[in-house]
Amino acid sequence: MSTDAAETGRVDRTDPAPRSAGFRLVLLVVLVVLLLGSAGVLVWLLADRRGEADDLQTQREAVMSQTEQFVLRLNTYGPDDLDDQGHLTGYQQRVDEVITPKFASDFESTGLPIAEQTVKQAGYGRTAEVFGVGVQSIDSDSAVAIVAGGLTGSYPDRRHPDDASKRVAGQEDVLRWEVDLVKTGGAWLVDDYAPVTGAGQ
């Protein structure tokens, strides 16, 4: 009996050690797997957020670029743009490329005829310079931009009536506009604009 007890005691003393080592190995493997999984999730989340930030910056740059193009195209015209029928056809096409169809309808019924009349009757011309553009707000399909620029009008120099290249420029007008854009077919187009005046400046 005592021999058996001694042998049993020997087994009891040595048996927990292998079980403990095996448990520790399994626990280590589980912890490593969890750690790697957590690291993978963290990398994915960071990449996803960075991708969203990059996409937002790309959209902001597209809005600013289109706003700048709108201001330059809308405010750059003159006698050289008149076609054989006395219309600013090329000017109209350039503006239409950066505005929505709804805005194009308004432009063609109001702004365009006024521009054509002043060019034909007085030889008026205008050039524009953009000083800066900023995005005030933006979401997935609409944006508001603020743009500052200078507009300079010019007329034929009456001292040189036979030389159309001789022109007299007026003083530059500095303006700030709030420009509304919508995303249509994957492209940002100007839908409306208004001057920023008074307290808005």
Side-chain angles (χ1 to χ4, degrees):
M1 270 314 263
S2 61
T3 304
D4 292 340
E7 289 176 358
T8 303
R10 214 170 25 246
V11 171
D12 289 343
R13 281 194 302 271
T14 57
D15 193 45
R19 287 183 189 169
S20 178
F23 175 75
R24 288 181 187 147
L25 180 60
V26 170
L27 182 61
L28 178 63
V29 170
V30 170
L31 289 175
V32 169
V33 169
L34 289 175
L35 183 62
L36 291 175
S38 299
V41 170
L42 180 61
V43 169
W44 177 78
L45 287 174
L46 291 175
D48 186 54
R49 288 185 180 179
R50 184 172 182 178
E52 289 177 1
D54 290 345
D55 182 61
L56 178 60
Q57 182 59 30
T58 299
Q59 296 304 317
R60 290 173 66 88
E61 290 173 359
V63 165
M64 290 188 291
S65 176
Q66 197 73 312
T67 300
E68 180 176 5
Q69 283 300 308
F70 166 68
V71 172
L72 293 176
R73 295 183 188 204
L74 183 67
N75 296 287
T76 303
Y77 58 88
D80 292 342
D81 293 306
L82 290 172
D83 60 19
D84 295 337
Q85 287 74 42
H87 297 297
L88 296 171
T89 306
Y91 164 70
Q92 176 185 344
Q93 291 173 348
R94 291 192 298 272
V95 175
D96 282 350
E97 288 175 356
V98 295
I99 62 179
T100 63
K102 178 180 74 70
F103 188 22
S105 178
D106 295 339
F107 167 67
E108 291 164 15
S109 63
T110 56
L112 181 61
I114 293 173
E116 287 183 347
Q117 184 178 4
T118 57
V119 172
K120 285 190 291 187
Q121 294 182 357
Y124 179 75
R126 177 184 283 178
T127 58
E129 179 183 6
V130 173
F131 301 145
V133 183
V135 177
Q136 180 173 290
S137 64
I138 186 171
D139 58 33
S140 61
D141 60 0
S142 65
V144 177
I146 301 295
V147 57
L151 310 181
T152 304
S154 65
Y155 293 91
D157 189 342
R158 294 183 179 178
R159 295 171 299 178
H160 304 277
D162 298 328
D163 189 351
S165 65
K166 301 289 186 180
R167 300 185 64 79
V168 177
Q171 187 174 0
E172 182 180 57
D173 292 323
V174 178
L175 302 174
R176 290 180 67 209
W177 289 347
E178 182 177 279
V179 181
D180 299 327
L181 300 95
V182 295
K183 199 170 188 182
T184 305
W188 288 101
L189 298 175
V190 174
D191 195 47
D192 199 4
Y193 76 100
V196 178
T197 58
Q201 290 187 340

